[in-house]
Amino acid sequence: MRRHFAPTVLTVTAVTGVVAFSLVASSPVGNAAARPSSAYAVSAEGQVPVDRTPYIESADGHRQSSSALELPENPLLAVRAGTVTAGNDSASVELFDVTIGQGALSQVKVPPELKQTCATLPAQGADDLPIPDLPLPDLGLPLPTPSTKDLPAKNLPDLCNLLLTPPSALLAIDAVNVWCSGDDGGVDIGSLTLLGQKIAVPTTKQVVTIPAAPLATITVNERTQRSDGSFTITGLTINLGDGAEVIRLASATCAKPAAKPKPTPKPTPQPTLPAPLDQPPMAPIPTPVKTHHPVTG
């Protein structure tokens, strides 16, 4: 009996090795899990990093939603409220009252010579006066130190108005709404102002870049179609200081629809076959009838 034991062990070991190798070889390399539908309100990269907040995803197709918009303490970015939602092949984001660089320009001390020039400007005929190139102090933001010529002012009266009555924020947005469904989506942006000046945001389904360098470059309706079938749309991408800080507002990703569970098939009733012709049909089973017999005696 023992001389048959060793070959048996070798055979089992060999078969096990072949099966294990076959399983490893047949497994797809880099087969990552499918990307879920997801959404986030705010993220930032650079000197003031902000994780995707709030972030929600729907891996199984069930609708998920969050309004837990709590940003870390920072001098750059503030948002009053926001809601993110993700479901089966759909996602959306709503943002309200976004400010970037709140109170930054109010900290600028206007040079005495410029303040004197602004005070002596005539009421009329000053529109053609050039803007003096004067350095400004550090704004406390992730930006290169700007000068007066970097500010969005067309002439000297505009510059005086900007510095003497500064706006509340470097950039302000009333609302940003983004949605996606399948491989399409849309963006709706409310009033957008850069240093108090309103910027017209084109209503288009194509990506649009609004240059306002060197302070900010704003990309609207950024879209990404991936090879795994997912589609992402981002409402606003704000590039401050030529890449020193990049802020993304309202991003929604739609993945492939989650597979619906297959219904359990109902059993098919088997038809009753008739009795063969050469055999009489089976008599029905008699039903016993309960009765009472009179008692005789």
Side-chain angles (χ1 to χ4, degrees):
M1 294 294 291
R2 288 190 178 183
R3 59 184 174 181
H4 298 291
F5 182 74
T8 303
V9 172
L10 291 175
T11 303
V12 172
T13 304
V15 171
T16 305
V18 170
V19 172
F21 176 78
S22 300
L23 291 175
V24 173
S26 61
S27 299
V29 178
N31 185 19
R35 186 189 307 270
S37 294
S38 61
Y40 67 86
V42 178
S43 75
E45 303 169 2
Q47 298 181 26
V48 183
V50 177
D51 291 336
R52 295 177 295 180
T53 305
Y55 174 77
I56 202 75
E57 67 178 35
S58 172
D60 56 3
H62 288 86
R63 187 176 183 271
Q64 306 288 339
S65 184
S66 176
S67 299
L69 183 52
E70 296 182 5
L71 297 180
E73 191 81 21
N74 73 91
L76 179 65
L77 180 63
V79 183
R80 180 174 64 86
T83 300
V84 295
T85 303
N88 196 12
D89 198 24
S90 65
S92 63
V93 183
E94 292 181 333
L95 276 179
F96 301 99
D97 292 343
V98 182
T99 56
I100 297 173
Q102 190 167 9
L105 219 60
S106 61
Q107 303 173 12
V108 174
K109 293 182 179 180
V110 181
E113 62 272 22
L114 179 58
K115 185 179 292 187
Q116 183 178 1
T117 302
C118 291
T120 57
L121 282 178
Q124 295 180 348
D127 292 346
D128 58 348
L129 293 178
I131 297 175
D133 188 7
L134 300 174
L136 295 176
D138 186 9
L139 298 178
L141 299 175
L143 293 170
T145 303
S147 71
T148 51
K149 286 195 173 181
D150 296 326
L151 300 177
K154 298 178 181 178
N155 48 46
L156 184 56
D158 282 351
L159 178 65
C160 292
N161 182 61
L162 183 62
L163 294 179
L164 297 179
T165 57
S168 60
L170 173 68
L171 184 66
I173 307 131
D174 284 348
V176 185
N177 296 328
V178 169
W179 62 270
C180 69
S181 179
D183 58 355
D184 195 14
V187 175
D188 183 19
I189 298 174
S191 176
L192 190 154
T193 58
L194 178 64
L195 285 175
Q197 295 189 3
K198 189 172 181 179
I199 297 176
V201 180
T203 55
T204 174
K205 284 194 172 185
Q206 303 298 323
V207 60
V208 175
T209 299
I210 305 172
L215 292 181
T217 301
I218 304 169
T219 303
V220 184
N221 199 9
E222 192 171 22
R223 298 174 174 227
T224 304
Q225 184 76 55
R226 299 181 183 85
S227 59
D228 63 0
S230 63
F231 169 76
T232 298
I233 180 169
T234 302
L236 290 174
T237 301
I238 302 164
N239 187 330
L240 298 175
D242 196 19
E245 184 82 13
V246 178
I247 300 170
R248 291 180 175 85
L249 301 176
S251 183
T253 296
C254 284
K256 288 184 177 181
K260 296 182 179 180
K262 295 182 179 179
T264 304
K266 296 182 179 180
T268 304
Q270 298 294 330
T272 304
L273 299 177
L277 297 178
D278 57 347
Q279 294 183 7
M282 296 180 63
I285 300 175
T287 303
V289 178
K290 293 183 180 182
T291 182
H292 298 280
H293 297 283
V295 178
T296 59

